[in-house]
Amino acid sequence: MARPEKKSQLGQPPMKDQIKTAARALFIQRGLSDVSYGDIAEVVNTTRANLHYHFGNKAALIEAVFQETFDDLEQQFQHTWAQPGLTLAERIGLVAADCEHRFYEFNDNEKGRNPWSLSARARFERHLIPERIQEGISDMSRHFEDYVSHSVKLAIGSGELRPDTPVRQVVMLITPLWYFGSLLTQNSGLNKLLDHYQAVIDTVTAAYGNA
C-alpha cells in the first residue's frame, strides 16, 4: 500500500505536488524532450528514485502534469466565462490578466521572451504526449470555444451586444490570442499581446455594442 502523503518540512507542499510543479515549469521552459528526471530531482532537491516512486516513468509524470492543468483550466473557464454579472469586455480582460500573470512567472519584465504556456509548448512535441493527453488538449480547446460562445450569447441577451452579433466570428477573434499568446510574446513581448486583447474588445464593442 502506498505511503500517505506528508507535508515537507517548513510547511511545504507534499513531495508529489512539488515534483509536478517543478516538472511543469521545466517543461514550459525547455520542452518535454529536454527535461530529464535528474533535472526535476535537482530542482526539488530529491532523488530520481523518489520521482520513480511517485510517478513511475516520465510519461506518467507528463500525464499527471497535464491532467492537473486541465482541471485548473476548467475552473478558470467557469470563473471567467460562465459567472453572471460580467460584461464580455470584462471577461476578455480577465483572460488577458491571467496571461499577464503566467507571463511573469517566467519573465522579469514586459520585454521578456521566455515561453509561459504548457499547451503551447506541447503543440510542438505531440509525439511525446500520450494519446489520452492529446485528446485532452483538443477537448480543452473545444471547451474554451464553447465557454466563449456562451459568454457572447450572454452579452447579446443582456443587451451589451446587438442581436445580430455574429457569435462564431467573435469567438474566432478571441480564441487565437489564448491559443498562441505565449508564441506572440516570445516574438514581441507582453505589451503586444495585451494590445491585441484590447483591440478585440474595442473592435467588438465598436461593431456590435449597444452603447
Side-chain angles (χ1 to χ4, degrees), residues 76 80-81 90-100 102 144 148 174 177-178 197:
Q76 180 192 348
T80 302
W81 300 105
E90 289 170 336
R91 297 181 198 279
I92 296 172
L94 286 175
V95 176
D98 174 69
C99 290
E100 183 174 8
R102 290 189 289 134
F144 181 74
V148 176
I174 297 169
L177 297 179
W178 188 74
Y197 273 112

Side-chain angles (χ1 to χ4, degrees), residues 2-187:
R3 294 179 301 188
E5 289 288 341
K6 296 181 180 179
K7 285 199 172 184
S8 301
Q9 57 183 333
L10 300 178
Q12 293 180 347
M15 177 57 65
K16 193 168 186 178
D17 292 339
Q18 292 184 53
I19 292 170
K20 286 190 291 184
T21 298
R24 171 185 171 272
L26 288 173
F27 291 155
I28 290 172
Q29 292 168 340
R30 293 164 48 182
L32 302 176
S33 61
D34 288 342
V35 176
S36 69
Y37 260 17
D39 297 326
I40 300 168
E42 183 177 358
V43 170
V44 183
N45 194 27
T46 188
T47 64
R48 284 180 290 184
N50 201 19
L51 269 69
H52 283 288
Y53 169 78
H54 284 292
F55 293 100
N57 57 31
K58 183 178 172 181
L61 174 56
I62 290 172
E63 185 165 345
V65 169
F66 272 91
Q67 187 58 58
E68 185 171 77
T69 298
F70 296 153
D71 294 341
D72 290 344
L73 283 172
E74 181 64 28
Q75 292 183 7
Q76 180 192 348
F77 291 167
Q78 292 181 16
H79 171 74
T80 302
W81 300 105
Q83 70 166 311
L86 295 177
T87 66
L88 180 63
E90 289 170 336
R91 297 181 198 279
I92 296 172
L94 286 175
V95 176
D98 174 69
C99 290
E100 183 174 8
H101 170 75
R102 290 189 289 134
F103 173 89
Y104 279 118
E105 283 187 59
F106 299 97
N107 293 276
D108 294 331
N109 58 68
E110 69 278 2
K111 296 181 180 179
R113 297 293 190 269
N114 294 325
W116 45 269
S117 169
L118 182 62
S119 60
R121 268 288 192 179
R123 293 177 192 279
F124 296 97
E125 296 184 286
R126 291 182 67 86
H127 62 289
L128 297 175
I129 302 173
E131 184 175 349
R132 195 177 79 82
I133 296 303
Q134 293 185 35
E135 294 172 354
I137 292 173
S138 297
D139 288 343
M140 179 187 68
S141 298
R142 285 193 292 269
H143 287 173
F144 181 74
E145 292 188 15
D146 289 344
Y147 273 110
V148 176
S149 177
H150 173 72
S151 72
V152 175
K153 293 174 183 177
L154 287 177
I156 294 171
S158 70
E160 177 191 353
L161 299 179
R162 298 200 314 261
D164 63 338
T165 300
V167 174
R168 183 61 180 167
Q169 284 86 334
V170 173
V171 171
M172 296 306 292
L173 289 174
I174 297 169
T175 52
L177 297 179
W178 188 74
Y179 293 148
F180 304 113
S182 180
L183 301 178
L184 178 60
T185 59
Q186 285 172 245
N187 289 311

